[in-house]
Amino acid sequence: MNKLVVVGSINADVVIHTQRHPQPGETLVGSGGQVSAGGKGANQAVAAARLGADVSFVGAVGSDAYAEPAMAHMDCVDTTAVEVVDTNTGLALITVDAAGENTIVLSPGANALVDAPFVTNQSSLVGSADMVLLQGEIPAEGFAAAVDAARGRVVVNLAPVIAVDKDALLKADPLIANEHEAGLILAQFGGPTEGSPRELAQGLRDAGFNSVVLTLGSAGALVAEDEFVEIPTPSVDVVDTTGAGDAFAGALCARLLQGDTLIDAAFYAARVGAFAVTSNGAQASYPNLKSELPG
């Protein structure tokens, strides 16, 4: 079986539900406060593993009480290369409104220690992978070290967008981004930061990316290789959008490792992302191979 190595973040998510998002200086009464597993790296790893991928993870958690809930769903992932370090586990404070839209404030914690020496220490594992998946929740030097160690295909979802080595970033095939992220990435290359999805995707291709997948929320996705292909998403009742983009990214990688074309993988990933928004949480909402996907 082809191997996926994810180098990324592990977080504990604290979720509060409100009717709407608060204005600056405003206090609202909400509900919830549960602690659940999150982190873009961990989310994507779990999503891919539940869909049949052989996944190993390189990352860190703290020595605090949040480490256990942060790792609660990673039993399907090889976590041998996850280190426990003497700091707090990454923490995400998430507010979800009545429409299922979320805002997130992130404290990196242990994820900030996944730097170049940390990743280089796992270079043999990273180098053994058929595919390496990266995000933007670890230090830029750790990101670059992972790309340098990779011998297989590199997939990048640079979220949040951080300033990373441009040559390392251009190894992404594909680059996965939403419209806002695409504009911020283009700014790093001196390109236009606004435009239609096609214009943004074309800008990223012009900047040197071999392939691009723009995620467009309820509008689906756009794949840009030699041509543009629009990917629809099934219509579902949205409960919580937390981690839906990560479900998409993990599913995309799982299908690419199984031999799908990028377009076919994106069609499948859109269905997985739609499934994920129909229940609360990130990893807890992800399907497995027995789940009935919408659409």
Side-chain angles (χ1 to χ4, degrees):
M1 183 182 296
N2 290 336
K3 180 190 291 187
L4 171 66
V5 170
V6 181
V7 183
S9 57
I10 303 171
N11 292 333
D13 290 349
V14 180
V15 182
I16 297 290
H17 292 267
T18 64
Q19 282 297 306
R20 58 178 176 81
H21 294 292
Q23 298 298 315
E26 182 184 19
T27 298
L28 294 178
V29 175
S31 62
Q34 308 95 318
V35 180
S36 60
K40 296 194 72 64
N43 289 351
Q44 294 175 14
V46 169
R50 285 190 176 176
L51 296 170
D54 177 9
V55 185
S56 296
F57 198 92
V58 176
V61 293
S63 53
D64 59 0
Y66 283 123
E68 182 176 354
M71 298 277 288
H73 296 286
M74 293 188 74
D75 54 344
C76 55
V77 175
D78 180 354
T79 57
T80 305
V82 175
E83 295 188 22
V84 178
V85 295
D86 190 20
T87 187
N88 63 287
T89 300
L91 184 64
L93 304 178
I94 303 171
T95 303
V96 182
D97 70 11
E101 293 296 333
N102 64 69
T103 60
I104 303 173
V105 178
L106 180 66
S107 172
N111 300 313
L113 301 181
V114 186
D115 54 11
F118 187 105
V119 176
T120 301
N121 190 48
Q122 300 294 339
S123 59
S124 60
L125 174 62
V126 177
S128 72
D130 299 282
M131 179 180 291
V132 176
L133 174 59
L134 296 158
Q135 311 78 29
E137 289 185 343
I138 62 171
E141 60 178 286
F143 178 100
V147 174
D148 185 61
R151 298 294 176 264
R153 185 173 187 172
V154 175
V155 179
V156 176
N157 174 216
L158 194 64
V161 176
I162 59 173
V164 296
D165 180 83
K166 293 184 180 62
D167 290 335
L169 183 55
L170 284 170
K171 297 289 180 64
D173 185 19
L175 172 72
I176 306 170
N178 63 28
E179 291 175 87
H180 175 68
E181 293 157 357
L184 293 175
I185 293 168
L186 276 168
Q188 296 188 23
F189 289 88
T193 60
E194 296 181 355
S196 68
R198 286 189 176 232
E199 290 169 336
L200 292 169
Q202 185 62 59
L204 290 167
R205 290 273 287 148
D206 292 343
F209 290 98
N210 188 57
S211 61
V212 175
V213 178
L214 286 189
T215 56
L216 307 172
S218 61
L222 178 68
V223 173
E225 289 185 290
D226 296 328
E227 59 180 344
F228 293 105
V229 177
E230 295 181 355
I231 309 296
T233 192
S235 178
V236 296
D237 293 328
V238 176
V239 174
D240 182 2
T241 59
T242 303
D246 296 331
F248 180 102
L252 186 86
C253 290
R255 295 305 303 181
L256 289 173
L257 284 167
Q258 293 175 41
D260 278 11
T261 66
L262 183 57
I263 292 169
D264 287 342
F267 272 103
Y268 180 81
R271 297 174 65 202
V272 171
F275 182 99
V277 304
T278 60
S279 58
N280 287 313
Q283 294 169 35
S285 71
Y286 294 167
N288 58 37
L289 289 173
K290 295 181 180 180
S291 301
E292 184 175 347
L293 300 178

